[in-house]
Amino acid sequence: MDHFQYQGGELHAEGVPVELLAEQFGTPLYVYSQATLLRHLGQIQEAFAEANPLICYSVKSNGNLALCRLMARHGSGFDVTSAGELHRAVLAGAPGRKIVFAGVGKSREELVRALQVGVFLFNVESEEELHFLGDVARELDLPASVALRVNPDLPPKTHARTDTSVKGVKFGLDIETVLDVARGVLGHAHLRVIGLHMHLGSPILSAEPYRQGAAKAEMLVGELRRMGHPIDVLNMGGGFGIHYRKQEALPAHAFAAEILPVVKRLGCRLVLEPGRFIVGNAGILVSRVLYRKESGGKRFIIQDAAMNDLIRPSLYDAFHRIWPVKLPAGATSPPEDYEADIPGTVAVDVVGPVCESGDFLARQRALPPLLQGDLLAVFSAGAYGMAMASNYNSRPRAAEVLVDGSAFRLIRRRETLHDLVAPELDAMAGW
Ligand code: LLP
């Protein structure tokens, strides 16, 4: 459930007509609903409340500072994966004790910065990283709290490019090796192995992998404790799916039902790293139709958002609902189920201006008849939309707006042509 609804035939973000935002800020435009964001954060907080978890919003899903600040104000910590994301979390007001740091390739500079910030957990992904972190921590004489990230080797559960817990991916320690790796740092003066980390993949539409993963974690935590590591943190990562096509996502309670019993039995502190679940349905991408054309027996809608604004369809063949911001005469509200036949529509490819055949937001999609200048809303674009946007084809990145009831404000200005060339001009200044 989100707060993007049609009222009188016009899409509104909470109390604000989306057309008004497009006119004021231009397109392509990301529009976020604060109520939706907080609602989804609240759903996770509530579903897992009995474990009093540390919820660490995954900055990679959408690192906009205003959104991160909002999350921090509502009690969230942060899952970061680079110095840049750590910078965002700190600027958002998070104390180190509410930040966890994952990623297979943390550089020395990143480790130093995270040690200085005093992050709650380093989610360590390899034996070499663990020893290197130990060396850096010793040099700085700062303690490093570690959760060993394990790859539980589960059956495929989502798109191959984003499944992080099958054999042969780069993430985590192979489950067979975790104990040996842990044994190697017993008694280390600066490393405290206090947790186990597992991020299964994303997005996941079933609770079963969490049941299987948590069972493997329970077994490992027991063995690590017997070895002498004081494990009291279980970090189950993120990955909870959202609605893209229809109401396909599970409620947070379904995941909690599999995770909480294990947390309880272990008496561990629970950490979660949700990104998409919180921000995914809280954002739409608004674009404007530039041209229509037919080619090779197909109809194309060429609009001003492209793969550089939202790469998920090109990269993962991801499905995002798309519907006109203003319902044309005779058109119905957006369908509940996009897989069903939708009367009054024509099949079109929704494409952008980028010079690649792979630049599309949807292919053979049933849409009501559209005119030049019409606005389109691409739904469920809050996560991994702007976060993965680029300047490809020297396109300035879109603006972002946050709506709260009937109020709204710009939270990232549209990039300018100068922004595009500024680093080059800086480098060439002395020529
Ligand atoms: N924790 C770790 C260690 C992760 O790697 C990720 C996501 C998360 C948490 C958050 O997962 P979430 O709750 O947002 O599902 N670009 C892809 C998704 C890549 C996910 C990367 N890691 C997409 O657009 O679908």
Side-chain angles (χ1 to χ4, degrees), residues 160-183:
R161 298 230 173 119
T162 55
D163 196 330
T164 51
S165 58
V166 285
K167 215 184 215 30
V169 295
K170 68 178 177 178
F171 297 100
L173 296 157
D174 281 351
I175 195 156
E176 307 80 27
T177 65
V178 174
L179 297 179
D180 283 344
V181 171
R183 199 168 290 113

Side-chain angles (χ1 to χ4, degrees), residues 219-301:
M219 186 263 301
L220 276 175
V221 168
E223 298 196 32
L224 288 167
R225 282 177 173 168
R226 278 192 288 283
M227 185 185 289
H229 286 296
I231 307 291
D232 64 359
V233 177
L234 179 61
N235 181 349
M236 287 300 292
F240 307 152
I242 62 163
H243 306 314
Y244 281 113
R245 270 171 205 272
K246 44 185 178 177
Q247 303 293 305
E248 71 262 51
L250 289 177
H253 280 286
F255 300 107
E258 304 299 348
I259 294 171
L260 285 179
V262 173
V263 173
K264 221 189 248 172
R265 281 200 294 277
L266 289 173
C268 272
R269 174 100 199 264
L270 175 65
V271 175
L272 295 169
E273 302 171 341
R276 190 188 315 261
F277 189 91
I278 293 172
V279 75
N281 288 131
I284 61 171
L285 172 61
V286 184
S287 70
R288 203 178 276 283
V289 176
L290 298 171
Y291 307 109
R292 303 163 304 166
K293 74 183 229 181
E294 287 193 30
S295 185
K298 277 169 73 178
R299 289 171 205 252
F300 291 89
I301 298 295

Side-chain angles (χ1 to χ4, degrees), residues 140-151:
L140 273 68
D141 196 20
L142 288 169
S145 295
V146 167
L148 295 174
R149 176 169 178 176
V150 60
N151 174 353

Side-chain angles (χ1 to χ4, degrees), residues 21-31 285-287 304-305 308-309 386 391 395-401 410-420:
L21 298 172
E23 265 156 26
Q24 183 156 339
F25 299 107
T27 53
L29 178 71
Y30 275 98
V31 178
L285 172 61
V286 184
S287 70
D304 60 8
N308 75 295
D309 300 299
M386 189 60 179
N391 292 124
R395 288 169 50 85
R397 263 174 289 207
E400 294 178 291
V401 174
L410 191 64
I411 55 171
R412 191 179 206 269
R413 65 165 170 79
R414 183 174 305 285
E415 288 179 357
T416 62
L417 297 182
H418 178 74
D419 290 333
L420 291 177

Side-chain angles (χ1 to χ4, degrees), residues 58 60-61 79 102 149 162 197 199 202 238-240 273-276 312 316 384 388:
S58 194
K60 67 174 77 65
S61 64
D79 155 49
R149 176 169 178 176
T162 55
H197 176 228
H199 169 70
S202 168
F240 307 152
E273 302 171 341
R276 190 188 315 261
R312 302 192 70 258
Y316 315 115
Y384 307 106
M388 296 175 81

